[in-house]
Amino acid sequence: MSSVQLNHDTTPFKPKTFPITVVCENVTNAPNIGSLFRIADAFGVTELIFCGSNIPLGRKMMKTSRSTEKVVRYQLCDNASEVVKQLKAQQYCIISLEITNESTPIHHYKFPTNQPIALIIGDENFGVSETSLKESTAAVHITMFGQNSSMNVVQATNIALYEITKQLL
């Protein structure tokens, strides 16, 4: 095998933006926020909306984001509930990434191709709030096979965005 590793300038990937907004409900860990910028860029997310107080957008976040905060559209809002209600009024399909008694395995959920999607991700410790879950069209979860019932918010968002964009292609 004589493969040659490609870099940013030589990959065959074509830029594409998907009608996906990621609503980050009280995600406050700077490295996680930086990683969310990177994956939002990688998966062609339209916008990140960080909800809550004390969202760290400083040096620690930028170390992880690798300058993607300069190209990914984002906004800061105090209240996730208000953001979700606004997106719902704009005809977004509201999807919470959370394990609930009614959530659907993400690989079984059929994401809409005829309306924009708002993916709600939750607090690193407590997940998506009950308020946001109640406003959601659906809740999806990632099936896991170990003893732990949760994973890092960024890793879960990676998996979710992969599945959503795969379906929207």
Side-chain angles (χ1 to χ4, degrees), residues 37-38 61-72:
F37 273 107
R38 284 185 77 177
M61 180 280 297
M62 288 189 276
K63 184 175 181 182
T64 311
S65 72
R66 303 209 29 179
S67 297
T68 52
E69 78 281 358
K70 296 175 183 172
V71 295
V72 173

Side-chain angles (χ1 to χ4, degrees), residues 128-140:
V128 176
S129 70
E130 289 293 324
T131 304
S132 290
L133 285 170
K134 286 177 183 165
E135 289 291 330
S136 296
T137 307
V140 297

Side-chain angles (χ1 to χ4, degrees), residues 31-143:
N32 282 347
I33 292 169
S35 292
L36 287 168
F37 273 107
R38 284 185 77 177
I39 64 168
D41 177 56
F43 284 106
V45 167
T46 299
E47 183 176 27
L48 288 170
I49 303 176
F50 296 100
C51 302
S53 56
N54 301 319
I55 306 296
L57 297 178
R59 190 177 53 78
K60 284 184 180 179
M61 180 280 297
M62 288 189 276
K63 184 175 181 182
T64 311
S65 72
R66 303 209 29 179
S67 297
T68 52
E69 78 281 358
K70 296 175 183 172
V71 295
V72 173
R73 197 169 90 203
Y74 72 95
Q75 60 177 298
L76 303 174
C77 297
D78 290 330
N79 190 311
S81 179
E82 290 175 14
V83 168
V84 171
K85 285 178 184 172
Q86 288 171 358
L87 293 171
K88 203 171 189 178
Q90 295 171 28
Q91 304 304 307
Y92 275 71
C93 179
I94 310 295
I95 306 292
S96 285
L97 182 58
E98 186 63 76
I99 300 170
T100 75
N101 62 327
E102 297 179 347
S103 59
T104 302
I106 194 164
H107 61 284
H108 287 224
Y109 188 81
K110 298 297 178 224
F111 291 91
T113 57
N114 60 345
Q115 71 184 118
I117 296 166
L119 178 67
I120 305 173
I121 62 171
D123 179 287
E124 287 97 336
N125 295 311
F126 304 109
V128 176
S129 70
E130 289 293 324
T131 304
S132 290
L133 285 170
K134 286 177 183 165
E135 289 291 330
S136 296
T137 307
V140 297
H141 68 263
I142 297 161
T143 303

